[in-house]
Amino acid sequence: MGKQKKARKYATMKRTISLRDQRIKEEDRAKAKKKKKEDPSAIKEREVPKYPSCLFFQYNTQLGPPYYILVDTNFINFSIKAKLDLVQSMMDCLYAKCIPCITDCVMAEIEKLGQKYRVALRIAKDPRFERLPCTHKGTYADDCLVQRVTQHKCYIVATVDRDLKRRIRKIPGVPIMYISNHRYNIERMPDDYGAPRL
């Protein structure tokens, strides 16, 4: 009779003794944590999220003409594909003066895309666009836009990216501009400002 082959077990961990085990010396053992008794008469402190004073319920009072619109990389690319002039189409959508803003992160993202997106880069360098300098580390445009919109509620975000839209919808009082049917549309815009009804 031959020797039976044992199947090797892969990714098995060596079992370690817990620090509270009885086999470990008394001084090396982990001490059991003592719970503090709560004083029933003490005032309980609770952290309440601070909301900006510009928000009146879900209504943002900082929004108003001229509109400052934060533009994302893919918004410029899809505008070129749909043959839309950015500034003119924004004005057609909102019926007011629009100032497209572009952050350093978005500019860096367009520059990284290379020769294929040179038209988008030329549009982004248009003098009608306002450049916003970034002070944070890294050049991830989505995080940059979300952070900026969270701090300052005076912007409309122009994007086609689903994930970014989902993130911005969680922030109250920030409208989103997107492209559909070869025109710009806006969502979550207060009714007072004449958001177009589709």
Side-chain angles (χ1 to χ4, degrees):
M1 237 169 94
K3 198 175 181 183
Q4 189 180 1
K5 286 185 178 177
K6 275 189 178 179
R8 283 183 68 191
K9 290 182 181 175
Y10 290 100
T12 54
M13 282 177 56
K14 289 184 178 177
R15 292 206 178 120
T16 56
I17 298 173
S18 74
L19 292 172
R20 292 184 185 168
D21 201 292
Q22 297 295 321
R23 292 171 278 182
I24 296 175
K25 291 178 185 173
E26 191 73 40
E27 60 268 7
D28 295 339
R29 260 187 239 156
K31 306 287 188 283
K33 290 178 182 174
K34 292 177 184 176
K35 286 186 178 178
K36 282 186 177 179
K37 289 183 181 177
E38 288 183 21
D39 185 18
S41 62
I43 298 168
K44 289 174 185 159
E45 289 181 21
R46 204 171 52 193
E47 190 68 35
V48 179
K50 290 186 177 111
Y51 280 101
S53 59
C54 67
L55 287 178
F56 182 71
F57 298 113
Q58 288 285 311
Y59 180 84
N60 189 354
T61 55
Q62 280 188 350
L63 277 176
Y67 295 108
Y68 288 87
I69 301 166
L70 279 175
V71 182
D72 193 21
T73 312
N74 52 26
F75 190 80
I76 297 172
N77 294 336
F78 277 86
S79 297
I80 294 165
K81 283 180 187 172
K83 294 186 171 75
L84 292 167
D85 177 37
L86 251 88
V87 180
Q88 190 58 48
S89 300
M90 282 175 183
M91 288 183 185
D92 292 345
C93 176
L94 291 167
Y95 310 122
K97 187 181 179 187
C98 299
I99 301 163
C101 303
I102 196 156
T103 62
D104 288 346
C105 294
V106 174
M107 205 67 172
E109 204 173 59
I110 297 168
E111 284 168 1
K112 280 180 195 171
L113 290 170
Q115 195 65 20
K116 199 175 177 184
Y117 295 92
R118 64 183 178 277
V119 180
L121 185 63
R122 194 178 298 154
I123 289 170
K125 286 182 177 175
D126 192 319
R128 293 178 293 179
F129 278 59
E130 191 176 302
R131 282 292 296 271
L132 301 172
C134 293
T135 53
H136 57 83
K137 289 182 180 177
T139 57
Y140 187 53
D142 289 9
D143 287 345
C144 174
L145 294 175
V146 169
Q147 181 192 359
R148 196 171 283 273
V149 160
T150 310
Q151 288 171 348
H152 312 287
K153 294 279 193 284
C154 60
Y155 294 112
I156 297 169
V157 179
T159 185
V160 191
D161 187 11
R162 279 185 186 160
D163 296 332
L164 183 58
K165 276 188 193 174
R166 202 172 292 130
R167 283 174 72 181
I168 288 167
R169 281 189 194 115
K170 291 175 185 172
I171 306 165
V174 181
I176 301 167
M177 189 180 274
Y178 61 97
I179 302 168
S180 68
N181 301 330
H182 292 277
R183 56 174 288 193
Y184 291 170
N185 291 320
I186 197 148
E187 97 184 25
R188 303 188 342 156
M189 190 73 170
D191 295 333
D192 282 19
Y193 297 133
R197 294 273 156 252
L198 298 171

